[in-house]
Amino acid sequence: MRWSAQELSTEQTGALPGLARLNNLVRSVRTPEFAGITFHEVLAKSALNRVPGQSAMPFGWTINPYRGCSHACSYCFARPTHTYLDLDAGTDFDNEIIVKVNVAEVLRKELAKPGWGRHPVALGTNTDPYQRAEGRYRLMPGIIAALAQSGTPLSILTKGTLLRRDLDLLVEASEVVPVDLAMSIAIYDDELQQAVEPGTPSTAARLATVTAVRERGLDCSVFMMPILPFLTDTKAHLDAALRQARAAGASNIMYTALHLRPGVKDWYLQWLARDHPELMPRYQELYAKGAYAPKEYRIWLAARIKPLIRAHGLERGREDPATGGVRSSALGRPELGRPELARPEFARPPANPAAP
């Protein structure tokens, strides 16, 4: 489908005010393929983001090719990031997607600067780089190639089964730089999964993606994040989840209890009140004092899940404290990346058929 026929004007009546102020907005696009979703294509001024507050080496670096996410997870901690353009953290986050169409080109220029230290770069720690739109825009192949060509280690955390499209490229990149992959699979009850994260691939499809990654010789962590109090913290649910992750070939498991930051809490509790009103008093008590579940709950959860992790022959993986993603296997290695080993094919970014 030619998306140009679906182009909208940001000057039209009712245009979103934050987007109308952008001086790097190329166009806004709607298409029947993505009913109810508007894509706002922008020219990124930068690609690499340094995580603030990290004073010690190695620094945390991320890339976010998209802002907003059609996965529509009601608990997503990144929702408040949408408010910088006068978009709300609820429906707009799910349906108004910012696409940085030139992100790979900008990234290559940044990685070529003499001062770039080839620190590990994380993708998927804010919004998902393999959400549905990636099937159209194909931003990730260019990003992966740019990082590998420069000798920069990378990690990817995703709920998107579209990761499988790029496995050949990721395997090739892993021969040059450390590549660390993780699949986020928090909910192993199909009905609950579709209710709380309606835009995501099924749990079965994500587990199959873990298997596909492992069959290609790469490790793949499984993030059981977040564990939802009184919904997915039963022993039966945790046991079933770990059994399925083990069968899929998960390299290790990472977990944490749900946290509800301002801007996320209201949206999640709105879903909870609609689907599980009986739990509202318990949640209001549990999260009365802050965004994180109380220490007592976290101790209780650890005591419940750790024996199950051991029983299934898994181990707890290590989360990167800077980015919140999977910890790069490059950390602690003095060379980090080896750009002199980069293959010639990584020097040529793949074509982007969606570029305007």
Side-chain angles (χ1 to χ4, degrees):
M1 174 174 293
R2 291 185 58 82
W3 283 31
S4 58
Q6 311 297 323
E7 186 172 348
L8 305 174
S9 168
T10 57
E11 301 303 324
Q12 67 190 37
T13 302
L16 295 165
L19 290 168
R21 290 197 301 269
L22 283 178
N23 60 11
N24 62 337
L25 178 63
V26 176
R27 63 179 182 173
S28 295
V29 181
R30 292 177 186 160
T31 171
E33 290 177 83
F34 296 86
I37 297 177
T38 304
F39 297 99
H40 304 284
E41 300 175 358
V42 303
L43 295 177
K45 300 173 183 177
S46 63
L48 289 164
N49 309 300
R50 182 173 171 180
V51 179
Q54 300 299 319
S55 59
M57 290 285 285
F59 304 122
W61 293 88
T62 64
I63 300 172
N64 298 306
Y66 302 94
R67 282 191 175 273
C69 186
S70 60
H71 286 338
C73 303
S74 62
Y75 54 73
C76 181
F77 67 87
R79 287 183 173 278
T81 64
H82 231 46
T83 59
Y84 82 111
L85 281 177
D86 297 340
L87 299 171
D88 70 54
T91 303
D92 287 348
F93 182 84
D94 302 337
N95 298 330
E96 305 284 344
I97 311 298
I98 312 299
V99 185
K100 301 175 184 177
V101 292
N102 66 332
V103 65
E105 177 186 350
V106 173
L107 176 63
R108 284 184 175 274
K109 294 178 181 178
E110 293 178 333
L111 295 173
K113 293 179 179 179
W116 173 242
R118 302 198 303 278
H119 307 293
V121 172
L123 293 113
T125 60
N126 192 354
T127 54
D128 201 315
Y130 282 109
Q131 58 181 285
R132 283 183 60 214
E134 173 60 16
R136 167 67 192 190
Y137 284 100
R138 297 184 62 86
L139 302 180
M140 285 297 290
I143 292 171
I144 294 166
L147 292 168
Q149 189 275 333
S150 70
T152 300
L154 66 135
S155 64
I156 300 173
L157 170 61
T158 182
K159 291 183 172 77
T161 56
L162 192 58
L163 174 74
R164 297 174 73 166
R165 181 200 66 193
D166 293 341
L167 278 180
D168 286 345
L169 186 60
L170 288 164
V171 169
E172 291 175 0
S174 72
E175 297 173 4
V176 179
V177 296
V179 173
D180 297 276
L181 304 177
M183 183 64 60
S184 176
I185 317 175
I187 303 171
Y188 294 74
D189 175 287
D190 290 342
E191 184 177 354
L192 178 61
Q193 182 258 324
Q194 285 299 305
V196 77
E197 43 182 47
T200 60
S202 69
T203 297
R206 281 181 266 172
L207 287 166
T209 302
V210 173
T211 301
V213 172
R214 299 290 285 131
E215 288 175 345
R216 297 303 304 274
L218 299 176
D219 286 342
C220 189
S221 302
V222 168
F223 274 46
M224 289 175 58
M225 299 180 176
I227 292 176
L228 307 178
F230 320 122
L231 288 169
T232 64
D233 60 357
T234 66
K235 189 172 183 179
H237 186 276
L238 296 173
D239 185 60
L242 292 164
R243 181 172 61 253
Q244 292 176 67
R246 169 73 180 194
S251 304
N252 54 64
I253 293 291
M254 280 173 268
Y255 73 89
T256 191
L258 174 71
H259 61 273
L260 296 173
R261 299 178 181 178
V264 180
K265 185 175 182 179
D266 290 345
W267 190 250
Y268 178 81
L269 291 182
Q270 179 179 318
W271 168 81
L272 190 74
R274 183 180 65 248
D275 282 37
H276 293 279
E278 74 283 0
L279 294 180
M280 282 293 290
R282 301 179 75 180
Y283 267 82
Q284 289 167 342
E285 179 181 359
L286 197 64
Y287 291 94
K289 295 182 180 179
Y292 290 86
K295 183 178 180 180
E296 294 77 12
Y297 176 85
R298 286 179 276 134
I299 292 173
W300 173 87
L301 179 62
R304 169 162 287 193
I305 196 172
K306 284 182 178 180
L308 293 173
I309 292 174
R310 290 193 297 269
H312 287 283
L314 293 163
E315 62 178 357
R316 186 172 184 181
R318 298 183 67 188
E319 185 179 0
D320 187 326
T323 66
V326 59
R327 180 176 171 85
S328 173
S329 56
L331 293 178
R333 292 169 53 174
E335 73 278 11
L336 288 183
R338 298 282 302 278
E340 69 275 12
L341 300 180
R343 291 183 171 189
E345 59 264 34
F346 285 123
R348 298 187 301 273
N352 180 1

